[in-house]
Amino acid sequence: MAQPLRAVATEVLLAVEQGQSLSQCLPPALARLPGTDRPTLQALCYGSCRWFHRLDDELHGRLKRPLRPGDRVIHHLMLVALFQLRFSQQASYAVLNETVEACRALGKPHLTGLVNGVLRAAERQGAPTPNTDASRYSHPDWMVEKLRHNWPDDWPAILEANNAQAPMTLRVNARRFTRTEYLAQLAEAGIAASPTRFAPHGIQLEQPVPVDQLPWFADGAVSVQDEAAQLCTTLLDLAPGQRVLDACAAPGGKTCAILEACPELAEVVAIDEAAARLPRVEENLERLDLSATLHQADAGDLDQWWDGQAFDRILLDVPCSATGVIRRHPDIKLLRRESDILPLAGIQLGLLDTLWSILKPGGRLVYATCSVFPQENHRIIQRFCKQQGAAVLRAPDVAWGRDMGAGRQLLPDPTSHDGFFYAVLEKPDS
């Protein structure tokens, strides 16, 4: 591995610990490297985030005292090296030599002796046995304890699933192919795949492949979307002539799924507050030859965007802790704080209250999160129904998830879907 690559990975890991997401800091880092190094950099950054808490625990045990704040980058350099020693096929001598060189490249030549000594001891002694659940499962303490409290029978499985490699799942564009037809296309291309269990248009690949290897991808035949996220269209009860709102829509996967599921809709309005994310929605719509009305706005501030016409269907995929998709976004372990959950719950309930007001009588609202915390999920629905009074909670007749009394919870499954929550609410006609 080239030394500059390791230094770049270290800088990315430090940026994540300081509050930037991988989606923010990884693209510019990738742009600094030749194309041949980019997959390795991505694997280093994702892996170091995934196993950060276990590696950090080991490193603290190997250091006689913490590094000075100004040398914190070298702490992260050693974490990247430990990740490779523990979880990669990279030869250990190469890891040690290139890490010492990266230490010089990062402007800390006086610490090369320390780096060399710590890593040689780590190589010689092997990985220590984790002495806490936070270290064993490589999650922050607060998250382990919250999951233990919320899911006393399931928390170890959730934590293990979070550390597994997520499968690559596709949504077949029903306007172009049936699922059976596209499975045949994949077989002809030598790509092993099988139907998803619950999503009617879903296909799970045996191994991930670059999207440009997928038959007819550029022409809109399929999209990459987790099975759990695909289930929204099965709950919306779409029909021709309806006006549909997709709130908090970026990157647009669900917007496109809605349009594919029912091409005869009168209009789909898609909103997202982040202007930087809307181009992704536009790109997805264009590739799939679909059309929607896009607004860059806070969905909860109706004065910013609403034209006064009520909606027949609303999909409200609210901002949440994203604890159901940690396996795809391991930086969540470093970025999320326990103190985030209560403010998020306030935002979720506020959006639900506001958007309920623009749902037509007889209309349906589907509430969704990619969280596994009840505080953001069925407890929000219970609070809303108690406050609203007139809302009718529908129990969908489905084979997936767990009935929480006020919605259905999917826990992350290492062999298939992410963690997700859905609830279906209807507004009475009168």
Side-chain angles (χ1 to χ4, degrees):
M1 179 189 303
Q3 165 269 321
L5 189 155
R6 186 182 305 280
V8 173
T10 299
E11 291 167 352
V12 169
L13 184 60
L14 182 60
V16 170
E17 193 192 43
Q18 292 173 343
Q20 292 188 55
S21 68
L22 281 175
S23 64
Q24 290 174 305
C25 58
L26 190 53
L30 290 168
R32 294 164 55 188
L33 298 173
T36 53
D37 282 345
R38 291 173 188 177
T40 307
L41 176 64
Q42 185 154 322
L44 272 180
C45 294
Y46 273 78
S48 298
C49 286
R50 180 170 287 116
W51 296 105
F52 180 92
H53 293 85
R54 183 185 294 187
L55 300 171
D56 196 49
D57 190 51
E58 177 180 350
L59 184 55
H60 277 293
R62 295 191 179 281
L63 292 172
K64 293 181 180 178
R65 57 181 179 274
L67 293 171
R68 296 179 302 176
D71 294 329
R72 182 71 175 165
V73 67
I74 302 305
H75 182 96
H76 288 69
L77 174 64
M78 288 189 282
L79 290 178
V80 171
L82 279 175
F83 164 70
Q84 288 207 288
L85 289 175
R86 303 299 180 229
F87 296 101
S88 83
Q89 301 301 313
Q90 182 80 5
S92 57
Y93 73 86
V95 173
L96 270 62
N97 291 342
E98 291 159 9
T99 302
V100 169
E101 290 304 309
C103 184
R104 293 191 179 98
L106 290 166
K108 305 291 181 180
H110 59 289
L111 293 176
T112 54
L114 173 68
V115 168
N116 186 60
V118 168
L119 295 182
R120 287 194 181 281
E123 177 199 15
R124 184 175 61 253
Q125 297 166 3
T129 300
N131 55 14
T132 67
D133 287 330
S135 179
R136 180 176 300 109
Y137 295 107
S138 197
H139 282 66
D141 284 298
W142 74 265
M143 196 176 288
V144 173
E145 292 310 309
K146 195 171 186 68
L147 288 170
R148 195 198 310 268
H149 174 73
N150 289 156
W151 302 100
D153 297 326
D154 302 285
W155 65 272
I158 295 171
L159 295 170
E160 288 176 354
N162 287 349
N163 289 331
Q165 184 69 41
M168 184 172 181
T169 306
L170 310 178
R171 184 190 74 246
V172 179
N173 183 351
R175 301 168 69 195
R176 299 289 308 278
F177 292 98
T178 67
R179 178 162 65 177
T180 300
E181 289 170 342
Y182 196 76
L183 280 166
Q185 292 279 334
L186 289 172
E188 188 175 332
I191 300 173
S194 58
T196 51
R197 285 183 292 167
F198 306 123
H201 303 294
I203 290 175
Q204 185 170 305
L205 304 188
E206 192 171 295
Q207 296 292 333
V209 300
V211 292
D212 59 10
Q213 293 182 19
L214 296 171
W216 307 105
F217 179 84
D219 298 310
V222 290
S223 299
V224 178
Q225 187 180 39
D226 182 75
E227 181 181 15
Q230 293 184 40
L231 297 172
C232 67
T233 57
T234 68
L235 301 177
L236 281 166
D237 190 28
L238 299 168
Q242 290 175 342
R243 189 169 194 245
V244 180
L245 171 64
D246 182 7
C248 314
K254 297 184 186 69
T255 304
C256 294
I258 289 167
L259 288 160
E260 290 172 5
C262 189
E264 301 85 8
L265 294 169
E267 183 184 22
V268 173
V269 177
I271 300 173
D272 203 89
E273 188 172 11
R277 301 183 71 197
L278 282 177
R280 274 290 302 281
V281 182
E282 293 172 341
E283 290 167 11
N284 285 324
L285 289 167
E286 183 177 356
R287 183 179 64 83
L288 295 163
D289 193 24
L290 299 170
S291 179
T293 303
L294 304 184
H295 293 288
Q296 187 265 311
D298 174 359
D301 186 351
L302 300 183
D303 290 338
Q304 285 188 28
W305 63 272
W306 187 47
D307 62 4
Q309 298 182 58
F311 292 92
D312 300 282
R313 297 290 184 267
I314 296 176
L315 173 62
L316 176 54
D317 188 355
V318 293
C320 70
S321 64
T323 44
V325 293
I326 286 175
R327 62 185 188 169
R328 298 187 189 277
H329 304 282
D331 50 334
I332 290 167
K333 297 181 189 181
L334 283 75
L335 298 172
R336 191 67 64 230
R337 301 287 183 268
E338 186 173 15
S339 57
D340 297 335
I341 307 303
L342 185 59
L344 281 168
I347 292 169
Q348 293 151 4
L349 189 58
L351 282 167
L352 194 48
D353 279 331
T354 298
L355 296 183
W356 182 257
S357 70
I358 60 173
L359 181 67
K360 286 182 182 177
R364 173 176 288 199
L365 185 151
V366 173
Y367 176 92
T369 80
C370 54
S371 169
V372 295
F373 290 150
Q375 192 173 351
E376 302 180 89
N377 295 341
H378 70 268
R379 293 179 192 165
I380 291 287
I381 301 302
Q382 290 169 339
R383 289 171 62 188
F384 174 76
C385 289
K386 185 175 181 179
Q387 294 172 13
Q388 179 52 235
V392 177
L393 180 63
R394 295 294 184 196
D397 183 16
V398 295
W400 48 262
R402 302 187 185 192
D403 183 2
M404 305 304 295
R408 297 193 75 86
Q409 178 73 60
L410 289 151
L411 298 178
D413 185 330
T415 66
S416 57
H417 54 74
D418 291 339
F420 238 79
F421 175 82
Y422 286 108
V424 178
L425 298 163
E426 292 183 350
K427 182 177 283 189
D429 280 316
S430 55

